[in-house]
Amino acid sequence: MPLTSINIYTLKLVRVTSRFHKLEKCRLTCPLACYKTIQAILNLQREPVEKFGIITLNAKNKILGLHVIAVGSLDTVIVEPREVFKAALLNNARSIIAFHNHPSGDPTPSPEDIRITNRLKRSGEILGINLIDHIITGEKGYVSMKELGRVRRGREAI
């Protein structure tokens, strides 16, 4: 049996940057704090496609988790309430803050954004998980559906 030459390559992991976000002690108190948290972790301003996610919160509005639920295309993302609340239920969340980006740069809510916000609000009421806000990010800032009056203020509102 002839000897076979085997080429051996050494692979090395190189860590270029290392960022750790200590979110378990972070308490969200306003839409701007939500926006800054989302941008610090996901930097949605640079995304070429729409991404929809949620921040799950406990009873004291401390962050339990941040989940990207759906990734879409240039101008749309399909959001199913069952997927949104599956993540919230698995996190044992008391409330959620929804977020998504507009790759066009304009964070103005579309009719579909308003529709999904209302649908999530109704679904959350059935499950006992409050939708506190829906933040839409764009190139130069954000829009809060709560600040626009699209999300009713509850006892756990930020």
Side-chain angles (χ1 to χ4, degrees):
M1 183 176 248
L3 289 174
T4 306
S5 174
I6 300 173
N7 292 325
I8 299 174
Y9 297 94
T10 304
L11 300 177
K12 295 182 180 179
L13 284 176
V14 178
R15 185 179 297 184
V16 178
T17 62
S18 175
R19 273 208 239 158
F20 294 99
H21 302 281
K22 295 189 178 189
L23 297 177
E24 62 273 359
K25 293 184 180 180
C26 183
R27 187 168 184 257
L28 299 179
T29 57
C30 66
L32 180 59
C34 296
Y35 170 71
K36 286 182 177 181
T37 301
I38 294 163
Q39 287 307 105
I41 296 169
L42 297 176
N43 194 15
L44 290 178
Q45 291 173 330
R46 301 206 189 280
E47 289 293 331
V49 296
E50 282 198 25
K51 288 188 176 183
F52 181 94
I54 60 169
I55 299 173
T56 55
L57 304 168
N58 69 11
K60 296 189 180 208
N61 287 347
K62 289 188 179 177
I63 298 175
L64 296 171
L66 189 141
H67 307 271
V68 174
I69 305 295
V71 177
S73 64
L74 184 62
D75 60 355
T76 189
V77 63
I78 297 171
V79 179
E80 290 293 332
R82 75 175 139 255
E83 297 301 319
V84 171
F85 287 101
K86 178 174 30 171
L89 288 166
L90 289 173
N91 256 177
N92 200 27
R94 176 71 177 105
S95 53
I96 64 170
I97 297 168
F99 64 86
H100 80 279
N101 65 314
H102 281 178
S104 68
D106 181 7
T108 304
S110 68
E112 180 61 23
D113 294 339
I114 295 166
R115 189 183 74 73
I116 194 60
T117 301
N118 292 334
R119 207 166 157 211
L120 291 174
K121 186 168 56 171
R122 288 191 312 271
S123 300
E125 287 169 356
I126 291 168
L127 293 171
I129 299 173
N130 294 335
L131 173 68
I132 293 178
D133 202 350
H134 182 171
I135 305 288
I136 303 170
T137 67
E139 195 173 279
K140 296 180 182 175
Y142 73 97
V143 169
S144 162
M145 297 292 249
K146 184 187 96 172
E147 289 177 340
L148 292 178
R150 296 287 182 179
V151 178
R152 182 176 68 243
R153 292 188 71 140
R155 68 180 178 102
E156 299 189 39
I158 56 175

